[in-house]
Amino acid sequence: MTSYHFSFARRCLALVFELSIVLSALAMPVADSAEADSVAIDSSFKEIVVDFRVNSTTIDPAFRNNSRNLDDIVALVRLLMAYSKLSVTGIAFCGSASPEGRADLNQRLARGRLDALESYIRRRVSIPDSVISRDDSYIPWNSLRQQISASDVPYKAKVLAVLTDDAIFGSENDLIISQLKSLDQGAVWTDLNSRYFAAMRNATVVFGLQAMRTFHRPKPKTEPEPEPELE
């Protein structure tokens, strides 16, 4: 997985983590007697990324690492079906697009990729709507900024000056794109495209998983009745 994929998936992870906490608390069994079974809950998260071709919302197993990642989805679904004590506490879907296209097209691509991955999974396992959250904010500038910060590209300072908190979290996509395109007469934008934009065309799913382990409390040992004394 690329560093971009990792940083982008953390957005999905935050969504599913918040949802899992709520649902796990609601599902927590309450013991009503001293002899009740004890239940241990082990929680974990599984994140899977699927990449898309330019201007596409169709999942292509032959593209990049999709074959392996889709196999991971199938394996996880089979695991969920085989073990009744393994359950899904939350699923977050995130869709994204690279920024070189029109804003309305990028929004449709991001949502279409999110929907394609969600449909792929829901055709294979029954998932209640209550455990699903979605994020299709479509251009994850913050993740790009993190990659640029960790790089040694010669235009690093110029790009970071554009990717400010105010611009990113103010959703000023048109302004960001315009300023990036103007750097070094378009040379910076061209290099960003060749280095980073391909990895921005994806959808991510994060599964929140919960394994239930039940064990019985040992019953206290009873002392034998004392023998009656002979008179």
Side-chain angles (χ1 to χ4, degrees):
M1 183 188 306
T2 66
S3 58
Y4 173 83
H5 281 161
F6 175 76
S7 57
F8 175 54
R10 285 189 297 186
R11 224 175 64 218
C12 274
L13 181 60
L15 289 174
V16 77
F17 182 69
E18 292 171 3
L19 186 59
S20 293
I21 290 175
V22 174
L23 294 174
S24 296
L26 292 175
M28 183 71 72
V30 179
D32 55 5
S33 73
E35 295 184 0
D37 293 338
S38 295
V39 178
I41 300 178
D42 297 326
S43 297
S44 61
F45 299 95
K46 175 66 175 178
E47 172 262 322
I48 301 170
V49 177
V50 174
D51 291 302
F52 290 82
R53 296 185 185 276
V54 177
N55 293 330
S56 175
T57 59
T58 301
I59 294 177
D60 181 357
F63 186 57
R64 295 168 70 95
N65 294 321
N66 284 351
S67 179
R68 182 187 65 192
N69 293 343
L70 293 171
D71 285 346
D72 286 347
I73 291 175
V74 173
L76 179 57
V77 167
R78 288 176 177 170
L79 190 65
L80 290 169
M81 295 174 65
Y83 294 96
S84 60
K85 291 188 177 181
L86 181 63
S87 61
V88 176
T89 58
I91 299 180
F93 292 97
C94 298
S96 73
S98 53
E100 70 271 28
R102 298 194 322 270
D104 59 334
L105 175 61
N106 284 338
Q107 286 180 312
R108 289 199 300 271
L109 286 171
R111 185 66 195 202
R113 289 162 180 168
L114 183 159
D115 290 341
L117 183 55
E118 181 176 346
S119 296
Y120 182 93
I121 293 172
R122 298 188 82 166
R123 286 197 301 268
R124 288 158 176 80
V125 62
S126 177
I127 304 170
D129 290 336
S130 58
V131 303
I132 291 178
S133 56
R134 302 172 183 88
D135 182 345
D136 58 347
S137 52
Y138 86 89
I139 300 181
W141 294 115
N142 194 44
S143 296
L144 178 62
R145 179 171 63 175
Q146 290 172 8
Q147 279 203 288
I148 297 297
S149 296
S151 74
D152 57 359
V153 292
Y155 49 77
K156 177 176 178 177
K158 296 178 181 178
V159 171
L160 293 180
V162 173
L163 298 177
T164 64
D165 284 345
D166 288 342
I168 291 173
F169 299 111
S171 300
E172 297 180 8
N173 293 318
D174 292 341
L175 177 61
I176 292 173
I177 291 170
S178 174
Q179 290 179 342
L180 290 177
K181 284 183 174 180
S182 70
L183 296 176
D184 296 345
Q185 298 180 326
V188 169
W189 181 262
T190 300
D191 195 62
L192 288 172
N193 193 347
S194 64
R195 288 177 184 260
Y196 302 108
F197 287 179
M200 299 171 82
R201 307 173 190 126
N202 62 53
T204 301
V205 58
V206 178
F207 292 87
L209 303 174
Q210 180 174 277
M212 307 285 289
R213 291 186 292 110
T214 305
F215 55 94
H216 300 284
R217 294 182 181 180
K219 294 182 178 180
K221 293 182 179 180
T222 56
E223 296 293 332
E225 293 290 332
E227 294 280 341
E229 295 183 5
L230 297 176
E231 297 184 358

